[in-house]
Amino acid sequence: MIRVGLTGGMGAGKSTVAATFVERGAYLIDADKIAREVVAAGTPGLAALVEAFGDDILDPAGELNRPGLAAKAFVDDESRATLNRITHPLIGARTTELLDAAPGDAIVVQDTPLLVEGHMAPFFHSVIVVDADVEMRVHRLVNSRGLDEADARARIAAQATEEQRRAVADAWLVNHGTHDDLAQQATDLWTQRLVPYELNVRRGIVAEPVAELVAADPDPAVLGTRLTNRLWALAGERATAVEVIGAATGIRAVTALQITARDEAAATELPDLLRAGGFPADGDGAYASADPGRPARVTVVA
């Protein structure tokens, strides 16, 4: 199983990519859907919100009035913290339930609008960003979703920047064409990269790099940082250092990294964690990427 983080700004076309993946067998976890579920009528989550913010956040049918909640929850940092303290644990618990229910050979796609803002990228095997020009996104939000133009621009401006998204992206899908154009990009990514990646992880096989995928890296300059962050997420307290010891400079060049294990006991725990995280043993005493679009080799020293 691999976990794929799917994100992008409002109006970029993320839902089209998610639907395309689902049609091909993805196990979808929708963060927005979970956020609604945990505060639906009759849930402990909604009861907690009413206790914290008052029963005037409910509509006549007893459902959550989201604009009414927003008017109270986003007035200051303390109110926002109260909202997060109630909802975040519930969302996390439900997400864990769904992950635990995923098949062992699943490609789990987690549709997560605030993936970048929440600093969640290192915890996924791969991060996919869907992008579109700001003016195009504003047009879609106004004409398809009925947002006021000023509101649409304000919401876009409040989200992560393109630079921030590129820093964490393993794949970058550009939605400047038709629905079918974007769906085809998603299909190609699914077939050429995600399916082989999942199979490699499940079988513990190092990937054969695919030049076209490597060349399309959204931001090669930060690949080392991206990989370092992923390895820290896998190793956790078992490591005292994770560093790049050889940067990739060509299409098929491999980024070399080194993990310094806390001690011998920690070093013995790392192989299973690395394999599950997308870095199986390479047969030469090191570990290498199972992702055909991201060549990397990892050594562990104690």
PDB file of all heavy atoms in Angstrom, residues 178-210:
ATOM      1  N   THR A 178      -8.831  21.291 -21.138  1.00  0.00           N
ATOM      2  CA  THR A 178     -10.168  20.754 -20.907  1.00  0.00           C
ATOM      3  C   THR A 178     -10.165  19.752 -19.758  1.00  0.00           C
ATOM      4  O   THR A 178      -9.109  19.322 -19.274  1.00  0.00           O
ATOM      5  CB  THR A 178     -10.682  20.044 -22.168  1.00  0.00           C
ATOM      6  OG1 THR A 178      -9.860  18.862 -22.397  1.00  0.00           O
ATOM      7  CG2 THR A 178     -10.614  20.948 -23.380  1.00  0.00           C
ATOM      8  N   HIS A 179     -11.361  19.368 -19.345  1.00  0.00           N
ATOM      9  CA  HIS A 179     -11.523  18.319 -18.338  1.00  0.00           C
ATOM     10  C   HIS A 179     -10.810  17.050 -18.787  1.00  0.00           C
ATOM     11  O   HIS A 179     -10.118  16.388 -17.991  1.00  0.00           O
ATOM     12  CB  HIS A 179     -13.025  18.076 -18.133  1.00  0.00           C
ATOM     13  CG  HIS A 179     -13.343  16.934 -17.223  1.00  0.00           C
ATOM     14  ND1 HIS A 179     -13.295  15.618 -17.647  1.00  0.00           N
ATOM     15  CD2 HIS A 179     -13.704  16.899 -15.915  1.00  0.00           C
ATOM     16  CE1 HIS A 179     -13.618  14.823 -16.646  1.00  0.00           C
ATOM     17  NE2 HIS A 179     -13.870  15.581 -15.580  1.00  0.00           N
ATOM     18  N   ASP A 180     -10.975  16.693 -20.064  1.00  0.00           N
ATOM     19  CA  ASP A 180     -10.359  15.465 -20.584  1.00  0.00           C
ATOM     20  C   ASP A 180      -8.840  15.557 -20.586  1.00  0.00           C
ATOM     21  O   ASP A 180      -8.153  14.548 -20.369  1.00  0.00           O
ATOM     22  CB  ASP A 180     -10.861  15.174 -21.998  1.00  0.00           C
ATOM     23  CG  ASP A 180     -12.318  14.729 -22.013  1.00  0.00           C
ATOM     24  OD1 ASP A 180     -12.847  14.374 -20.938  1.00  0.00           O
ATOM     25  OD2 ASP A 180     -12.927  14.743 -23.103  1.00  0.00           O
ATOM     26  N   ASP A 181      -8.304  16.754 -20.845  1.00  0.00           N
ATOM     27  CA  ASP A 181      -6.847  16.927 -20.820  1.00  0.00           C
ATOM     28  C   ASP A 181      -6.290  16.610 -19.435  1.00  0.00           C
ATOM     29  O   ASP A 181      -5.278  15.910 -19.305  1.00  0.00           O
ATOM     30  CB  ASP A 181      -6.463  18.361 -21.198  1.00  0.00           C
ATOM     31  CG  ASP A 181      -6.724  18.682 -22.661  1.00  0.00           C
ATOM     32  OD1 ASP A 181      -6.764  17.739 -23.463  1.00  0.00           O
ATOM     33  OD2 ASP A 181      -6.885  19.881 -22.977  1.00  0.00           O
ATOM     34  N   LEU A 182      -6.946  17.132 -18.406  1.00  0.00           N
ATOM     35  CA  LEU A 182      -6.488  16.896 -17.041  1.00  0.00           C
ATOM     36  C   LEU A 182      -6.665  15.430 -16.662  1.00  0.00           C
ATOM     37  O   LEU A 182      -5.774  14.836 -16.035  1.00  0.00           O
ATOM     38  CB  LEU A 182      -7.248  17.786 -16.057  1.00  0.00           C
ATOM     39  CG  LEU A 182      -6.861  17.648 -14.592  1.00  0.00           C
ATOM     40  CD1 LEU A 182      -5.381  17.975 -14.383  1.00  0.00           C
ATOM     41  CD2 LEU A 182      -7.729  18.551 -13.717  1.00  0.00           C
ATOM     42  N   ALA A 183      -7.774  14.853 -17.040  1.00  0.00           N
ATOM     43  CA  ALA A 183      -8.017  13.442 -16.741  1.00  0.00           C
ATOM     44  C   ALA A 183      -6.966  12.553 -17.385  1.00  0.00           C
ATOM     45  O   ALA A 183      -6.538  11.546 -16.804  1.00  0.00           O
ATOM     46  CB  ALA A 183      -9.420  13.039 -17.203  1.00  0.00           C
ATOM     47  N   GLN A 184      -6.517  12.930 -18.593  1.00  0.00           N
ATOM     48  CA  GLN A 184      -5.482  12.137 -19.265  1.00  0.00           C
ATOM     49  C   GLN A 184      -4.153  12.244 -18.531  1.00  0.00           C
ATOM     50  O   GLN A 184      -3.426  11.249 -18.396  1.00  0.00           O
ATOM     51  CB  GLN A 184      -5.322  12.595 -20.709  1.00  0.00           C
ATOM     52  CG  GLN A 184      -4.366  11.723 -21.524  1.00  0.00           C
ATOM     53  CD  GLN A 184      -4.831  10.277 -21.595  1.00  0.00           C
ATOM     54  OE1 GLN A 184      -5.955   9.998 -22.021  1.00  0.00           O
ATOM     55  NE2 GLN A 184      -3.974   9.345 -21.169  1.00  0.00           N
ATOM     56  N   GLN A 185      -3.819  13.442 -18.051  1.00  0.00           N
ATOM     57  CA  GLN A 185      -2.601  13.600 -17.252  1.00  0.00           C
ATOM     58  C   GLN A 185      -2.657  12.702 -16.014  1.00  0.00           C
ATOM     59  O   GLN A 185      -1.672  12.048 -15.657  1.00  0.00           O
ATOM     60  CB  GLN A 185      -2.438  15.049 -16.804  1.00  0.00           C
ATOM     61  CG  GLN A 185      -2.070  16.041 -17.870  1.00  0.00           C
ATOM     62  CD  GLN A 185      -1.869  17.425 -17.273  1.00  0.00           C
ATOM     63  OE1 GLN A 185      -0.946  17.647 -16.481  1.00  0.00           O
ATOM     64  NE2 GLN A 185      -2.733  18.358 -17.623  1.00  0.00           N
ATOM     65  N   ALA A 186      -3.805  12.699 -15.368  1.00  0.00           N
ATOM     66  CA  ALA A 186      -3.971  11.886 -14.158  1.00  0.00           C
ATOM     67  C   ALA A 186      -3.867  10.401 -14.489  1.00  0.00           C
ATOM     68  O   ALA A 186      -3.262   9.622 -13.739  1.00  0.00           O
ATOM     69  CB  ALA A 186      -5.307  12.206 -13.499  1.00  0.00           C
ATOM     70  N   THR A 187      -4.446  10.005 -15.597  1.00  0.00           N
ATOM     71  CA  THR A 187      -4.391   8.595 -16.016  1.00  0.00           C
ATOM     72  C   THR A 187      -2.959   8.171 -16.293  1.00  0.00           C
ATOM     73  O   THR A 187      -2.521   7.087 -15.879  1.00  0.00           O
ATOM     74  CB  THR A 187      -5.252   8.381 -17.278  1.00  0.00           C
ATOM     75  OG1 THR A 187      -6.614   8.692 -16.980  1.00  0.00           O
ATOM     76  CG2 THR A 187      -5.160   6.943 -17.769  1.00  0.00           C
ATOM     77  N   ASP A 188      -2.211   9.019 -16.989  1.00  0.00           N
ATOM     78  CA  ASP A 188      -0.810   8.700 -17.286  1.00  0.00           C
ATOM     79  C   ASP A 188      -0.002   8.571 -16.001  1.00  0.00           C
ATOM     80  O   ASP A 188       0.827   7.660 -15.863  1.00  0.00           O
ATOM     81  CB  ASP A 188      -0.204   9.784 -18.175  1.00  0.00           C
ATOM     82  CG  ASP A 188      -0.791   9.791 -19.585  1.00  0.00           C
ATOM     83  OD1 ASP A 188      -1.420   8.783 -19.966  1.00  0.00           O
ATOM     84  OD2 ASP A 188      -0.626  10.808 -20.288  1.00  0.00           O
ATOM     85  N   LEU A 189      -0.226   9.480 -15.068  1.00  0.00           N
ATOM     86  CA  LEU A 189       0.490   9.435 -13.801  1.00  0.00           C
ATOM     87  C   LEU A 189       0.147   8.163 -13.036  1.00  0.00           C
ATOM     88  O   LEU A 189       1.021   7.503 -12.470  1.00  0.00           O
ATOM     89  CB  LEU A 189       0.147  10.665 -12.964  1.00  0.00           C
ATOM     90  CG  LEU A 189       0.801  10.770 -11.584  1.00  0.00           C
ATOM     91  CD1 LEU A 189       2.319  10.851 -11.710  1.00  0.00           C
ATOM     92  CD2 LEU A 189       0.269  11.983 -10.821  1.00  0.00           C
ATOM     93  N   TRP A 190      -1.123   7.823 -13.036  1.00  0.00           N
ATOM     94  CA  TRP A 190      -1.581   6.609 -12.351  1.00  0.00           C
ATOM     95  C   TRP A 190      -0.903   5.373 -12.943  1.00  0.00           C
ATOM     96  O   TRP A 190      -0.356   4.546 -12.215  1.00  0.00           O
ATOM     97  CB  TRP A 190      -3.096   6.495 -12.473  1.00  0.00           C
ATOM     98  CG  TRP A 190      -3.677   5.253 -11.878  1.00  0.00           C
ATOM     99  CD1 TRP A 190      -3.904   4.057 -12.499  1.00  0.00           C
ATOM    100  CD2 TRP A 190      -4.100   5.070 -10.516  1.00  0.00           C
ATOM    101  NE1 TRP A 190      -4.445   3.150 -11.624  1.00  0.00           N
ATOM    102  CE2 TRP A 190      -4.576   3.745 -10.404  1.00  0.00           C
ATOM    103  CE3 TRP A 190      -4.129   5.906  -9.408  1.00  0.00           C
ATOM    104  CZ2 TRP A 190      -5.078   3.237  -9.194  1.00  0.00           C
ATOM    105  CZ3 TRP A 190      -4.627   5.404  -8.212  1.00  0.00           C
ATOM    106  CH2 TRP A 190      -5.084   4.091  -8.109  1.00  0.00           C
ATOM    107  N   THR A 191      -0.935   5.268 -14.260  1.00  0.00           N
ATOM    108  CA  THR A 191      -0.443   4.070 -14.940  1.00  0.00           C
ATOM    109  C   THR A 191       1.081   3.962 -14.909  1.00  0.00           C
ATOM    110  O   THR A 191       1.632   2.890 -14.635  1.00  0.00           O
ATOM    111  CB  THR A 191      -0.926   4.068 -16.409  1.00  0.00           C
ATOM    112  OG1 THR A 191      -2.350   4.149 -16.433  1.00  0.00           O
ATOM    113  CG2 THR A 191      -0.472   2.802 -17.123  1.00  0.00           C
ATOM    114  N   GLN A 192       1.755   5.065 -15.194  1.00  0.00           N
ATOM    115  CA  GLN A 192       3.200   5.031 -15.355  1.00  0.00           C
ATOM    116  C   GLN A 192       3.972   5.122 -14.045  1.00  0.00           C
ATOM    117  O   GLN A 192       5.113   4.657 -13.968  1.00  0.00           O
ATOM    118  CB  GLN A 192       3.640   6.182 -16.268  1.00  0.00           C
ATOM    119  CG  GLN A 192       3.063   6.114 -17.660  1.00  0.00           C
ATOM    120  CD  GLN A 192       3.357   7.362 -18.465  1.00  0.00           C
ATOM    121  OE1 GLN A 192       4.236   8.149 -18.119  1.00  0.00           O
ATOM    122  NE2 GLN A 192       2.627   7.571 -19.542  1.00  0.00           N
ATOM    123  N   ARG A 193       3.341   5.706 -13.017  1.00  0.00           N
ATOM    124  CA  ARG A 193       4.109   5.946 -11.790  1.00  0.00           C
ATOM    125  C   ARG A 193       3.485   5.345 -10.546  1.00  0.00           C
ATOM    126  O   ARG A 193       4.150   4.631  -9.791  1.00  0.00           O
ATOM    127  CB  ARG A 193       4.302   7.448 -11.602  1.00  0.00           C
ATOM    128  CG  ARG A 193       5.228   7.788 -10.444  1.00  0.00           C
ATOM    129  CD  ARG A 193       5.637   9.239 -10.489  1.00  0.00           C
ATOM    130  NE  ARG A 193       6.538   9.588  -9.405  1.00  0.00           N
ATOM    131  CZ  ARG A 193       7.023  10.806  -9.192  1.00  0.00           C
ATOM    132  NH1 ARG A 193       6.686  11.796 -10.009  1.00  0.00           N
ATOM    133  NH2 ARG A 193       7.846  11.045  -8.189  1.00  0.00           N
ATOM    134  N   LEU A 194       2.203   5.630 -10.293  1.00  0.00           N
ATOM    135  CA  LEU A 194       1.616   5.205  -9.021  1.00  0.00           C
ATOM    136  C   LEU A 194       1.417   3.696  -8.938  1.00  0.00           C
ATOM    137  O   LEU A 194       1.700   3.088  -7.901  1.00  0.00           O
ATOM    138  CB  LEU A 194       0.296   5.939  -8.788  1.00  0.00           C
ATOM    139  CG  LEU A 194       0.396   7.460  -8.653  1.00  0.00           C
ATOM    140  CD1 LEU A 194      -0.974   8.062  -8.370  1.00  0.00           C
ATOM    141  CD2 LEU A 194       1.397   7.852  -7.571  1.00  0.00           C
ATOM    142  N   VAL A 195       0.921   3.084 -10.019  1.00  0.00           N
ATOM    143  CA  VAL A 195       0.720   1.625  -9.993  1.00  0.00           C
ATOM    144  C   VAL A 195       2.054   0.887  -9.824  1.00  0.00           C
ATOM    145  O   VAL A 195       2.175   0.003  -8.956  1.00  0.00           O
ATOM    146  CB  VAL A 195      -0.040   1.160 -11.248  1.00  0.00           C
ATOM    147  CG1 VAL A 195      -0.021  -0.368 -11.350  1.00  0.00           C
ATOM    148  CG2 VAL A 195      -1.481   1.666 -11.216  1.00  0.00           C
ATOM    149  N   PRO A 196       3.097   1.223 -10.608  1.00  0.00           N
ATOM    150  CA  PRO A 196       4.387   0.558 -10.379  1.00  0.00           C
ATOM    151  C   PRO A 196       4.957   0.850  -8.993  1.00  0.00           C
ATOM    152  O   PRO A 196       5.575  -0.035  -8.380  1.00  0.00           O
ATOM    153  CB  PRO A 196       5.284   1.141 -11.477  1.00  0.00           C
ATOM    154  CG  PRO A 196       4.367   1.625 -12.529  1.00  0.00           C
ATOM    155  CD  PRO A 196       3.144   2.095 -11.806  1.00  0.00           C
ATOM    156  N   TYR A 197       4.766   2.053  -8.510  1.00  0.00           N
ATOM    157  CA  TYR A 197       5.273   2.427  -7.187  1.00  0.00           C
ATOM    158  C   TYR A 197       4.657   1.542  -6.105  1.00  0.00           C
ATOM    159  O   TYR A 197       5.370   0.978  -5.265  1.00  0.00           O
ATOM    160  CB  TYR A 197       4.946   3.897  -6.943  1.00  0.00           C
ATOM    161  CG  TYR A 197       5.609   4.539  -5.737  1.00  0.00           C
ATOM    162  CD1 TYR A 197       6.528   3.870  -4.943  1.00  0.00           C
ATOM    163  CD2 TYR A 197       5.309   5.862  -5.408  1.00  0.00           C
ATOM    164  CE1 TYR A 197       7.131   4.484  -3.845  1.00  0.00           C
ATOM    165  CE2 TYR A 197       5.899   6.490  -4.322  1.00  0.00           C
ATOM    166  CZ  TYR A 197       6.795   5.795  -3.537  1.00  0.00           C
ATOM    167  OH  TYR A 197       7.382   6.403  -2.459  1.00  0.00           O
ATOM    168  N   GLU A 198       3.339   1.395  -6.131  1.00  0.00           N
ATOM    169  CA  GLU A 198       2.676   0.568  -5.116  1.00  0.00           C
ATOM    170  C   GLU A 198       3.153  -0.874  -5.194  1.00  0.00           C
ATOM    171  O   GLU A 198       3.427  -1.507  -4.165  1.00  0.00           O
ATOM    172  CB  GLU A 198       1.150   0.640  -5.300  1.00  0.00           C
ATOM    173  CG  GLU A 198       0.354  -0.012  -4.185  1.00  0.00           C
ATOM    174  CD  GLU A 198       0.343  -1.529  -4.239  1.00  0.00           C
ATOM    175  OE1 GLU A 198       0.287  -2.095  -5.359  1.00  0.00           O
ATOM    176  OE2 GLU A 198       0.402  -2.175  -3.163  1.00  0.00           O
ATOM    177  N   LEU A 199       3.268  -1.400  -6.404  1.00  0.00           N
ATOM    178  CA  LEU A 199       3.711  -2.782  -6.571  1.00  0.00           C
ATOM    179  C   LEU A 199       5.133  -2.954  -6.048  1.00  0.00           C
ATOM    180  O   LEU A 199       5.456  -3.943  -5.375  1.00  0.00           O
ATOM    181  CB  LEU A 199       3.633  -3.177  -8.045  1.00  0.00           C
ATOM    182  CG  LEU A 199       3.947  -4.640  -8.373  1.00  0.00           C
ATOM    183  CD1 LEU A 199       2.950  -5.569  -7.699  1.00  0.00           C
ATOM    184  CD2 LEU A 199       3.935  -4.853  -9.887  1.00  0.00           C
ATOM    185  N   ASN A 200       6.001  -1.992  -6.333  1.00  0.00           N
ATOM    186  CA  ASN A 200       7.382  -2.058  -5.854  1.00  0.00           C
ATOM    187  C   ASN A 200       7.448  -2.038  -4.330  1.00  0.00           C
ATOM    188  O   ASN A 200       8.221  -2.780  -3.716  1.00  0.00           O
ATOM    189  CB  ASN A 200       8.190  -0.883  -6.410  1.00  0.00           C
ATOM    190  CG  ASN A 200       8.463  -0.999  -7.896  1.00  0.00           C
ATOM    191  OD1 ASN A 200       8.355  -2.081  -8.472  1.00  0.00           O
ATOM    192  ND2 ASN A 200       8.800   0.112  -8.526  1.00  0.00           N
ATOM    193  N   VAL A 201       6.640  -1.170  -3.707  1.00  0.00           N
ATOM    194  CA  VAL A 201       6.631  -1.099  -2.242  1.00  0.00           C
ATOM    195  C   VAL A 201       6.145  -2.414  -1.650  1.00  0.00           C
ATOM    196  O   VAL A 201       6.739  -2.956  -0.708  1.00  0.00           O
ATOM    197  CB  VAL A 201       5.743   0.072  -1.765  1.00  0.00           C
ATOM    198  CG1 VAL A 201       5.510  -0.003  -0.253  1.00  0.00           C
ATOM    199  CG2 VAL A 201       6.393   1.411  -2.114  1.00  0.00           C
ATOM    200  N   ARG A 202       5.076  -2.937  -2.200  1.00  0.00           N
ATOM    201  CA  ARG A 202       4.499  -4.179  -1.663  1.00  0.00           C
ATOM    202  C   ARG A 202       5.469  -5.349  -1.813  1.00  0.00           C
ATOM    203  O   ARG A 202       5.548  -6.232  -0.941  1.00  0.00           O
ATOM    204  CB  ARG A 202       3.181  -4.463  -2.380  1.00  0.00           C
ATOM    205  CG  ARG A 202       2.412  -5.650  -1.867  1.00  0.00           C
ATOM    206  CD  ARG A 202       0.923  -5.561  -2.187  1.00  0.00           C
ATOM    207  NE  ARG A 202       0.624  -4.910  -3.444  1.00  0.00           N
ATOM    208  CZ  ARG A 202       0.381  -5.540  -4.595  1.00  0.00           C
ATOM    209  NH1 ARG A 202       0.433  -6.867  -4.639  1.00  0.00           N
ATOM    210  NH2 ARG A 202       0.086  -4.866  -5.687  1.00  0.00           N
ATOM    211  N   ARG A 203       6.232  -5.384  -2.898  1.00  0.00           N
ATOM    212  CA  ARG A 203       7.146  -6.494  -3.148  1.00  0.00           C
ATOM    213  C   ARG A 203       8.560  -6.224  -2.648  1.00  0.00           C
ATOM    214  O   ARG A 203       9.417  -7.114  -2.710  1.00  0.00           O
ATOM    215  CB  ARG A 203       7.187  -6.798  -4.649  1.00  0.00           C
ATOM    216  CG  ARG A 203       5.871  -7.331  -5.195  1.00  0.00           C
ATOM    217  CD  ARG A 203       5.977  -7.645  -6.670  1.00  0.00           C
ATOM    218  NE  ARG A 203       4.763  -8.266  -7.187  1.00  0.00           N
ATOM    219  CZ  ARG A 203       4.559  -8.598  -8.457  1.00  0.00           C
ATOM    220  NH1 ARG A 203       5.533  -8.390  -9.357  1.00  0.00           N
ATOM    221  NH2 ARG A 203       3.436  -9.149  -8.853  1.00  0.00           N
ATOM    222  N   GLY A 204       8.807  -4.999  -2.197  1.00  0.00           N
ATOM    223  CA  GLY A 204      10.142  -4.658  -1.732  1.00  0.00           C
ATOM    224  C   GLY A 204      11.149  -4.561  -2.848  1.00  0.00           C
ATOM    225  O   GLY A 204      12.292  -5.026  -2.720  1.00  0.00           O
ATOM    226  N   ILE A 205      10.744  -3.940  -3.959  1.00  0.00           N
ATOM    227  CA  ILE A 205      11.581  -3.864  -5.157  1.00  0.00           C
ATOM    228  C   ILE A 205      12.019  -2.418  -5.391  1.00  0.00           C
ATOM    229  O   ILE A 205      11.217  -1.486  -5.301  1.00  0.00           O
ATOM    230  CB  ILE A 205      10.810  -4.369  -6.393  1.00  0.00           C
ATOM    231  CG1 ILE A 205      10.445  -5.851  -6.220  1.00  0.00           C
ATOM    232  CG2 ILE A 205      11.621  -4.161  -7.671  1.00  0.00           C
ATOM    233  CD1 ILE A 205       9.528  -6.376  -7.306  1.00  0.00           C
ATOM    234  N   VAL A 206      13.286  -2.240  -5.724  1.00  0.00           N
ATOM    235  CA  VAL A 206      13.799  -0.924  -6.086  1.00  0.00           C
ATOM    236  C   VAL A 206      13.333  -0.588  -7.499  1.00  0.00           C
ATOM    237  O   VAL A 206      13.344  -1.436  -8.391  1.00  0.00           O
ATOM    238  CB  VAL A 206      15.336  -0.907  -6.016  1.00  0.00           C
ATOM    239  CG1 VAL A 206      15.888   0.394  -6.568  1.00  0.00           C
ATOM    240  CG2 VAL A 206      15.787  -1.120  -4.573  1.00  0.00           C
ATOM    241  N   ALA A 207      12.931   0.668  -7.719  1.00  0.00           N
ATOM    242  CA  ALA A 207      12.407   1.069  -9.021  1.00  0.00           C
ATOM    243  C   ALA A 207      13.502   1.267 -10.048  1.00  0.00           C
ATOM    244  O   ALA A 207      14.629   1.652  -9.717  1.00  0.00           O
ATOM    245  CB  ALA A 207      11.613   2.365  -8.877  1.00  0.00           C
ATOM    246  N   GLU A 208      13.147   1.024 -11.286  1.00  0.00           N
ATOM    247  CA  GLU A 208      13.973   1.412 -12.410  1.00  0.00           C
ATOM    248  C   GLU A 208      13.536   2.818 -12.802  1.00  0.00           C
ATOM    249  O   GLU A 208      12.396   3.031 -13.215  1.00  0.00           O
ATOM    250  CB  GLU A 208      13.769   0.463 -13.590  1.00  0.00           C
ATOM    251  CG  GLU A 208      14.588   0.796 -14.827  1.00  0.00           C
ATOM    252  CD  GLU A 208      16.073   0.657 -14.604  1.00  0.00           C
ATOM    253  OE1 GLU A 208      16.473  -0.185 -13.780  1.00  0.00           O
ATOM    254  OE2 GLU A 208      16.851   1.383 -15.267  1.00  0.00           O
ATOM    255  N   PRO A 209      14.407   3.826 -12.685  1.00  0.00           N
ATOM    256  CA  PRO A 209      13.987   5.200 -12.962  1.00  0.00           C
ATOM    257  C   PRO A 209      13.475   5.378 -14.386  1.00  0.00           C
ATOM    258  O   PRO A 209      14.003   4.794 -15.326  1.00  0.00           O
ATOM    259  CB  PRO A 209      15.254   6.020 -12.736  1.00  0.00           C
ATOM    260  CG  PRO A 209      16.097   5.173 -11.829  1.00  0.00           C
ATOM    261  CD  PRO A 209      15.800   3.750 -12.229  1.00  0.00           C
ATOM    262  N   VAL A 210      12.433   6.168 -14.530  1.00  0.00           N
ATOM    263  CA  VAL A 210      11.875   6.512 -15.834  1.00  0.00           C
ATOM    264  C   VAL A 210      12.268   7.950 -16.137  1.00  0.00           C
ATOM    265  O   VAL A 210      11.837   8.875 -15.452  1.00  0.00           O
ATOM    266  CB  VAL A 210      10.337   6.359 -15.838  1.00  0.00           C
ATOM    267  CG1 VAL A 210       9.760   6.754 -17.194  1.00  0.00           C
ATOM    268  CG2 VAL A 210       9.950   4.924 -15.482  1.00  0.00           C
TER     269      VAL A 210
END
